[in-house]
C-alpha cells in the first residue's frame, strides 16, 4: 500500500504530466495521443505499448474527447479515482484557461470588423476540417451494404427532420445489435469492423482530428 | 440557467461518440433549442474554439458557457462536458477493461459508427450553411466555400497542419470579407 505522501506525489505527477500536454495540442484530441504516449510509455514507463494500444481504442470509442478519455484511463490506472480526476484536471485546465482568456478578448473586441472577418474565414476552414473528419470516419466505418444503407438513411433523417441527434446516436447502438443478430440468424457472415489489410501488429492511430 | 447549462453539456458529453466534430451537431441542437444565441454567433464561437489548442467540443463548451453565464457558466459547462468522460472511463477501467472485445459492444458499434460518420457530415452542412437567408448564393457564402475548398486542398494535397490552416484561413477571411 503506498503511503500518503507517495500517493500525493503520484497525483501531482499525473496532474503535471497532463498539464504540460494540453497547451501543446492544437488540432484536438488525436493530436494529443502521440504526446501522451511519449510521456507515459516512453519517458515515465507508466504503462506498456500493448496497454496503450488497448487504451486508445477504448478511449476513441467511448463518448467524449479521446485525449481526455486516455488521460482519465492512465490516471485511473496509476492512482484510482483520484488519479483519474488529477489527470482530467491536468489535461483540461490549460486549454480552459486559454479559451477563457480568448473569450474575454472576444467579448471586448468581438465587434471589431477585422476579427469578425478572420472568424468567418476560420469558419470556412472548420467546415473543411469537419468534412475531413467525416470522410475518415466513413472510410473506417462504412464498408459494406448494410453500413452504407445506415449511413445514407441517417444522413437523410438528419437533413429532413428535426430529430434530436442524441436519438440518432442511441438508435445506432441498437440498430447495430439487431442487424448483427439478424445476420447471424440468417447465417450470413458478419464482420463488425473493417478487415485490416495489415498483417503485423502495431499501434494505429485513427487519422482524423477530433 | 447554470443548471440548464450543466445538464445540456452533460447530455452532450455522454453522447459525443466520435469526438468533437460529431459533438458540434449536438451542441448546436442544444443551443438552438434553448435559444442561447443566434446562429452566426454560434458559428463565430465554434471558429474561436477551433483557434485554441485542445478539443473543440470542450473549448466550445467553455466559450458558450462564458457567453451565457459568465465565469461560473464557463466552469459549469466545461465540467458538464468532461464529467461523462471521467464517469464512463472509471467504470470501464474498473469493471470491463476488455470491453472493446465484447461481441455486444462490437455489434452496437457496427451500427453506431456509420451514423457518427453521417452526423459529422451533417455537422459540416448544418454548421456550415445554417442561418443563411436568401439569396442562397451571395458573396459571403461564396467566400466561405472558397476558403473551405482551399483548406481541403491544403490538408489533402500538402498535408498541412490544422494550425497552419486556421491561421491562413483567418488571414483569407480578413481579405475576403
Amino acid at each position: 500500500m503506498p503511503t500518503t505522501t507517495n500517493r500525493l506525489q503520484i497525483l501531482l505527477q499525473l496532474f503535471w504530466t497532463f498539464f504540460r500536454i494540453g497547451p501543446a495540442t492544437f488540432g484536438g484530441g488525436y493530436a494529443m495521443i502521440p504526446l501522451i504516449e511519449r510521456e507515459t510509455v516512453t519517458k515515465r514507463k507508466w504503462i506498456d505499448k500493448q496497454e496503450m494500444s488497448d487504451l486508445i481504442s477504448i478511449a476513441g470509442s467511448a463518448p467524449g474527447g479521446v485525449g481526455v478519455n486516455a488521460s482519465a484511463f492512465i490516471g485511473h490506472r496509476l492512482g484510482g479515482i483520484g488519479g483519474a480526476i488529477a489527470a482530467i484536471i491536468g489535461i483540461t485546465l490549460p486549454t480552459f484557461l486559454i479559451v477563457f482568456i480568448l473569450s474575454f478578448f472576444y467579448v471586448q473586441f468581438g465587434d471589431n470588423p477585422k476579427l469578425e472577418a478572420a472568424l468567418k474565414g476560420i469558419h470556412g476552414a472548420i467546415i473543411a476540417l469537419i468534412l475531413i473528419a467525416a470522410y475518415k470516419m466513413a472510410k473506417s466505418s462504412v464498408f459494406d451494404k448494410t453500413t452504407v444503407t445506415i449511413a445514407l438513411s441517417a444522413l437523410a433523417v438528419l437533413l429532413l427532420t428535426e430529430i434530436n441527434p442524441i436519438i440518432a446516436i442511441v438508435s445506432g447502438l441498437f440498430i447495430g445489435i439487431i442487424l448483427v443478430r439478424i445476420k447471424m440468424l440468417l447465417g450470413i457472415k458478419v464482420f463488425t469492423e473493417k478487415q485490416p489489410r495489415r498483417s503485423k501488429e502495431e499501434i494505429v492511430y485513427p487519422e482524423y482530428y477530433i | 440557467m447554470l443548471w440548464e447549462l450543466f445538464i445540456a453539456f452533460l447530455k452532450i458529453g455522454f453522447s459525443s461518440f466520435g469526438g468533437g466534430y460529431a459533438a458540434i451537431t449536438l451542441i448546436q441542437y442544444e443551443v438552438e433549442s434553448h435559444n442561447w444565441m443566434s446562429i452566426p454567433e454560434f458559428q463565430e464561437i465554434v471558429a474561436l474554439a477551433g483557434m485554441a489548442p485542445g478539443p473543440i467540443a470542450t473549448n466550445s463548451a467553455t466559450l458558450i458557457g462564458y457567453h451565457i453565464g459568465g465565469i461560473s457558466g464557463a466552469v459549469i459547462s466545461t465540467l458538464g462536458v468532461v464529467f461523462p468522460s471521467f464517469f464512463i472511463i472509471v467504470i470501464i477501467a474498473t469493471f470491463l477493461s476488455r470491453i472493446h472485445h465484447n461481441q455486444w459492444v462490437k455489434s452496437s458499434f457496427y451500427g453506431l459508427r456509420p451514423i457518427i460518420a453521417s452526423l459529422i457530415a451533417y455537422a459540416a452542412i448544418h454548421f456550415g450553411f445554417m442561418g443563411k437567408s436568401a439569396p442562397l448564393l451571395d458573396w459571403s457564402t461564396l467566400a466561405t466555400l472558397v476558403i473551405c475548398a482551399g483548406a481541403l486542398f491544403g490538408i489533402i494535397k500538402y498535408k498541412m497542419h490544422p494550425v497552419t490552416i486556421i491561421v491562413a484561413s483567418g488571414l483569407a477571411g480578413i481579405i475576403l470579407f
Side-chain angles (χ1 to χ4, degrees):
Chain A
M1 214 40 208
T3 62
T4 328
T5 9
N6 241 334
R7 208 179 133 63
L8 203 68
Q9 221 167 9
I10 289 176
L11 294 187
L12 275 174
Q13 270 184 14
L14 276 167
F15 172 76
W16 183 235
T17 305
F18 288 109
F19 187 83
R20 284 182 320 175
I21 293 175
T25 56
F26 283 93
Y30 278 98
M32 291 180 181
I33 299 296
L35 291 175
I36 293 182
E37 193 194 355
R38 197 174 64 209
E39 280 292 323
T40 59
V41 180
T42 319
K43 266 173 75 179
R44 297 192 183 257
K45 309 216 180 317
W46 279 341
I47 52 173
D48 62 36
K49 255 188 132 86
Q50 179 56 46
E51 249 184 309
M52 185 70 188
S53 142
D54 273 4
L55 191 151
I56 290 168
S57 102
I58 296 177
S61 20
V66 68
V68 179
N69 288 350
S71 347
F73 224 117
I74 297 168
H76 184 264
R77 176 86 174 56
L78 265 88
I81 292 187
I85 294 177
I88 290 189
I89 296 178
I91 199 115
T92 314
L93 193 59
T95 51
F96 175 78
L97 293 176
I98 293 172
V99 171
F100 195 72
I101 294 166
L102 261 180
S103 60
F104 183 74
F105 277 105
Y106 174 67
V107 171
Q108 298 293 310
F109 305 107
D111 297 329
N112 180 306
K114 283 247 171 359
L115 181 66
E116 269 189 8
L119 285 177
K120 269 189 174 170
I122 293 171
H123 173 227
I126 290 195
I127 301 175
L129 289 173
I130 299 178
L131 281 174
I132 287 182
Y135 170 72
K136 295 204 160 138
M137 184 53 127
K139 214 170 80 177
S140 67
S141 65
V142 181
F143 51 86
D144 59 11
K145 277 183 207 144
T146 320
T147 43
V148 171
T149 317
I150 297 176
L152 290 180
S153 8
L155 193 58
V157 168
L158 285 167
L159 283 173
L160 299 176
T161 66
E162 304 257 293
I163 185 182
N164 185 336
I166 293 179
I167 294 177
I169 289 173
V170 174
S171 30
L173 290 167
F174 288 105
I175 290 172
I177 293 176
I178 294 167
L179 285 178
V180 170
R181 282 280 119 154
I182 294 176
K183 282 192 168 185
M184 278 162 130
L185 283 177
L186 293 174
I188 305 170
K189 200 160 172 45
V190 262
F191 295 106
T192 47
E193 275 154 35
K194 191 175 184 179
Q195 294 308 297
R197 296 208 185 87
R198 286 169 291 99
S199 49
K200 61 173 195 266
E201 255 196 55
E202 50 184 42
I203 303 186
V204 197
Y205 302 126
E207 304 161 57
Y208 43 88
Y209 294 102
I210 281 179
Chain B
M1 183 67 100
L2 289 180
W3 181 245
E4 269 177 44
L5 269 173
F6 183 70
I7 293 294
F9 280 104
L10 203 62
K11 278 199 283 190
I12 292 163
F14 268 114
S15 44
S16 61
F17 291 93
Y21 292 124
I24 288 180
T25 308
L26 303 171
I27 298 175
Q28 191 168 359
Y29 186 86
E30 290 294 331
V31 165
E32 280 173 7
S33 62
H34 286 88
N35 266 324
W36 275 331
M37 56 183 72
S38 69
I39 291 169
E41 268 180 316
F42 175 73
Q43 288 169 333
E44 266 188 38
I45 275 190
V46 175
L48 206 60
M51 263 168 70
I56 197 163
T58 321
N59 291 352
S60 310
T62 310
L63 284 169
I64 293 169
Y66 184 70
H67 186 96
I68 310 292
I71 298 182
S72 38
V75 175
I76 283 284
S77 308
T78 312
L79 282 178
V81 85
V82 171
F83 177 77
S85 286
F86 163 75
F87 183 76
I88 290 172
I89 293 297
V90 165
I91 288 199
I92 293 178
T94 315
F95 301 107
L96 329 138
S97 58
R98 306 294 288 171
I99 189 171
H100 57 308
H101 294 305
N102 176 295
Q103 191 53 47
W104 285 89
V105 173
K106 281 190 164 183
S107 302
S108 48
F109 275 91
Y110 176 70
L112 176 66
R113 298 176 73 226
I115 291 190
I116 297 295
S118 304
L119 204 63
I120 302 177
Y122 172 72
I125 303 165
H126 191 62
F127 165 72
F129 303 100
M130 272 317 258
K132 293 269 176 255
S133 47
L136 200 61
L137 206 66
D138 55 359
W139 169 243
S140 107
T141 313
L142 199 67
T144 304
L145 282 174
V146 167
I147 291 175
C148 175
L152 276 177
F153 191 70
I155 297 170
I156 295 168
K157 180 94 198 228
Y158 296 107
K159 311 255 175 266
M160 282 163 85
H161 193 273
V163 180
T164 324
I165 297 287
I166 299 268
V167 173
S169 62
L171 293 175
I174 295 181
I175 297 166
L176 288 174
F177 290 108

